[in-house]
Amino acid sequence: MIHSLFLINSSGDIFLEKHWKSVVSRSVCDYFFEAQERATEAENVPPVIPTPHHYLLSVYRHKIFFVAVIQTEVPPLFVIEFLHRVVDTFQYYYSGISILMQHTSPFAQ
């Protein structure tokens, strides 16, 4: 299924990566960066990018690209839906922390 997940900000920096089955080199993201350069806007990057040995599936939300690396053919919508769920989980988790910090701050009134 998913071998690696890369989070890439709008500047093109990979700021988080997670590997499950085997470590996939960051150089695989070069194919993504080439597709990103060809796109007129960030939203126009193709969600599925074939490479010689992998497939890159990506979603763009909150100015962050979530790029999954897979080696075998799987239903792309399944992976894209999973990526959207990951984003939703991050958003839910960090909004809860933000609210908690506002109410537990010693300077809150």
Side-chain angles (χ1 to χ4, degrees):
M1 185 77 180
I2 296 176
H3 287 263
S4 298
L5 176 67
F6 295 95
L7 273 60
I8 304 171
N9 63 15
S10 57
S11 302
D13 301 320
I14 300 171
F15 66 91
L16 184 113
E17 59 185 88
K18 171 68 178 154
H19 305 281
W20 283 279
K21 291 191 172 202
S22 60
V23 176
V24 176
S25 172
R26 285 182 170 202
S27 64
V28 75
C29 292
D30 291 342
Y31 295 98
F32 175 79
F33 294 135
E34 290 173 8
Q36 188 180 21
E37 287 177 9
R38 288 192 300 267
T40 56
E41 295 181 14
E43 293 85 7
N44 295 337
V45 175
V48 179
I49 301 169
T51 71
H53 301 288
H54 301 91
Y55 294 94
L56 306 179
L57 290 95
S58 66
V59 297
Y60 179 71
R61 288 185 47 193
H62 306 289
K63 298 182 181 179
I64 298 173
F65 286 99
F66 292 74
V67 181
V69 179
I70 58 174
Q71 287 185 328
T72 58
E73 288 190 32
V74 297
L77 289 179
F78 179 74
V79 176
I80 290 172
E81 177 64 24
F82 173 77
L83 293 175
H84 280 291
R85 298 289 178 156
V86 168
V87 175
D88 291 342
T89 302
F90 282 164
Q91 183 178 3
Y92 177 77
Y93 178 77
Y94 287 111
S95 68
I97 288 178
S98 174
I99 292 170
L100 180 66
M101 293 301 289
Q102 290 174 358
H103 294 295
T104 59
S105 172
F107 302 108
Q109 294 184 7

